[in-house]
């Protein structure tokens, strides 16, 4: 029973990682860049929903939508102002810019909200008790897992079945060829940032609902772990982000429970290194033969 | 139909295309031939908006193309099959064709795909196959079929014979002839001058970014300088 409870909380934590990892992986797939600031968009989503619920007394679904809206706009603006001018620049220049954006967001939040952490009110409280109370699962965990599954299915359908989704895949493979087809590559990149940032807002709400301390650096550790999850699953792959996120969450949760809380993070990253030594492209990283 | 007037294209400090002017008339097959690095692909990419010329103008069907973003060019009736095919390797054959029809209304896509399958029955057999697993010849057919999906008035082909076995080259050129007979105007870039000149109405010979000779296809085939430089005679 104890094991089951750790497993479920691992899956729930992993679901948050997976939702964040989707943003990393989609942006990487299309813009071939590591959007280091993605984790901080989560924090912004947390603060927006916090303000909406605590200061404006809005119901949580409205707060979530508001957070998604603000983060979507933020993501598109970041892309347009900071990354788009660097389309021809080296990847190192883009990475440094992304780190800059990350610090900018963290410091802006510090300026606006101060250094004292806010206590986030979870969107749903209470726990589900099973087996005569032996197993208790928080509703937040269940909602998180459900949200992750719904997002995963929706995103898969979007990229596999819709014209826009296919155009996105085309751009991530070959931007020049995509333009020759009539696809607006800049528009498609913006759309990808928009989707990734909206998902980051959702992740922010879910994360803060499980771990209710909200401060300006709230997004950075989950951001790095989700990035790890994306690489672990195979960067650029949507199912890879999902799988990587969930596995990372489970490993972290079990490591904390059975090995050591202090060492949990080291174990998580250790597993990543081992996996990458064995499978450099990640678990579901694609290998496509090229013909000349 | 297409009028390229005095274009100059640079890659940084490399002057790749120098004062190039040429024309393609409705219904013609025109070929640009030249050795490696002569600037052939650069010219096609400039026409389709992927690269920009510092000077001159490009006019297509009476409209200026300079400054038109690359993704808006295809909708004007100009399709470009790039060098190396550049099909979407991780997408299926059918998805590649759908991408070719990106700018067309979705109700026309099924008909367009049926037309392409009629011309390339091999693609129909492999419709659900991932393009990355096709042979080189099949990828070339897919790249051409994908371009035809936009129902172009002018089809630009960049080295369609590259890397193919002689038998397949024959097949590809037979298809080019068929397309021509069906009324498609074609701008063909080739290193295989023999083949290209034998299907072309007219040709232009490029040397290090400059057009050095022009004439009817048959005429260039017998031109001594061309023979010497490109036909190994
Ligand atoms: N991306 C690039 N950056 C810098 N120089 C380039 C680039 N692409 C082409 N060039 C240079 O421009 C010149 C023309 O190249 P281009 O690709 O147009 O030649 P080509 O005639 O198509 O040759 P090939 O038959 O080998 O395809 C060459 O000198 C080439 O080195
Ligand atoms: Mg070339």
């Amino acid at each position: 029973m104890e094991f089951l409870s750790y497993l479920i909380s691992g899956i729930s934590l992993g679901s948050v990682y997976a939702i964040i990892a989707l943003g990393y992986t989609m942006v990487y797939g299309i813009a071939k860049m590591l959007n280091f600031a993605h984790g901080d968009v989560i924090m912004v989503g947390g603060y927006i929903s916090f303000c909406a619920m605590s200061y404006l007394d809005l119901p949580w679904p409205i707060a979530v939508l508001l957070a998604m809206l603000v983060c979507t706009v933020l993501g598109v603006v970041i892309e347009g102002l900071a990354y788009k001018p660097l389309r021809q620049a080296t990847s190192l220049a883009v990475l440094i810019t992304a780190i800059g954006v990350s610090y900018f967001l963290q410091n802006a939040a510090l300026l606006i909200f101060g250094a004292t952490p806010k206590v986030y009110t979870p969107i749903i409280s209470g726990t589900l008790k099973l087996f005569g109370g032996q197993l208790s699962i928080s509703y937040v965990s269940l909602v998180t897992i459900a949200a992750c599954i719904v997002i995963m299915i929706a995103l898969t359908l979007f990229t596999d079945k819709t014209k826009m989704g296919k155009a996105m895949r085309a751009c991530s493979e070959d931007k020049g060829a995509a333009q020759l087809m009539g696809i607006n590559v800049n528009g498609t990149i913006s759309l990808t940032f928009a989707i990734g940032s909206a998902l980051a807002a959702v992740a922010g709400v879910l994360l803060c609902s499980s771990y209710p301390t909200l401060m300006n650096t709230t997004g950075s550790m989950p951001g790095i772990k989700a990035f790890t999850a994306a690489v672990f699953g195979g960067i650029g792959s949507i199912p890879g982000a999902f799988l990587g996120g969930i596995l990372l969450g489970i490993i972290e949760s079990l490591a904390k429970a059975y090995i050591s809380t202090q060492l949990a993070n080291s174990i998580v990253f250790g597993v990543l290194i081992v996996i990458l030594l064995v499978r450099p492209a990640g678990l579901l990283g694609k290998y496509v033969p090229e013909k000349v | 139909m297409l009028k390229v007037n005095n274009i100059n294209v640079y890659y940084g400090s490399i002057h790749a295309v120098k004062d190039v002017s040429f024309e393609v008339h409705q219904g013609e097959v025109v070929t640009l031939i030249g050795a490696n690095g002569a600037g052939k692909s650069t010219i096609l990419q400039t026409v389709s908006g992927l690269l920009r010329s510092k000077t001159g103008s490009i006019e297509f069907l009476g409209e200026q193309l300079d400054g038109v973003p690359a993704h808006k060019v295809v909708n004007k009736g100009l399709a470009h099959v790039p060098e190396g095919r550049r099909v979407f390797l991780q997408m299926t054959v059918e998805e590649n064709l759908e991408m070719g029809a990106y700018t067309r209304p979705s109700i026309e896509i099924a008909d367009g795909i049926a037309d392409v399958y009629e011309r390339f029955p091999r693609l129909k057999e492999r419709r659900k196959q991932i393009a990355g697993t096709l042979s080189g010849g099949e990828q070339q057919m897919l790249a051409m079929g994908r371009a035809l999906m936009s129902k172009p008035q002018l089809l630009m082909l960049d080295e369609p014979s590259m890397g193919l076995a002689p038998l397949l080259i024959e097949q590809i050129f037979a298809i080019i002839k068929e397309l021509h007979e069906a009324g498609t105007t074609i701008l063909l870039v080739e290193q295989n001058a023999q083949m290209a000149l034998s299907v072309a109405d007219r040709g232009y010979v490029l040397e290090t970014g400059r057009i050095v000779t022009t004439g009817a296809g048959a005429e260039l085939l017998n031109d001594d300088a061309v023979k010497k430089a490109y036909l190994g005679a």
Side-chain angles (χ1 to χ4, degrees), chain B residues 3 5 18-19 39 48 56 59 64-65 87 105 110 112-113 118 120 131-132 172 182-184 191 194 216 219 221:
Chain B
K3 260 193 206 141
N5 183 22
K18 299 163 190 158
D19 302 324
S48 56
E59 192 186 308
Q64 293 303 126
L65 285 189
V87 293
I113 290 182
E118 203 174 315
F120 303 101
I172 295 287
T184 314
Q191 280 200 42
Q194 178 90 50
E219 220 174 274
L221 261 180

Side-chain angles (χ1 to χ4, degrees), chain A residues 50-76:
Chain A
F50 171 82
C51 293
M53 290 188 290
S54 301
Y55 300 152
L56 304 175
D57 275 328
L58 293 170
W60 71 264
I62 306 285
V64 174
L65 285 178
L66 195 66
M68 288 172 75
L69 187 72
V70 171
C71 288
T72 301
V73 172
L74 179 68
V76 173

Side-chain angles (χ1 to χ4, degrees), chain B residues 178-190:
Chain B
E178 276 173 40
L179 289 170
H180 178 217
E181 279 154 20
T184 314
T185 310
I186 294 169
L187 176 57
L188 172 67
V189 155
E190 263 299 342

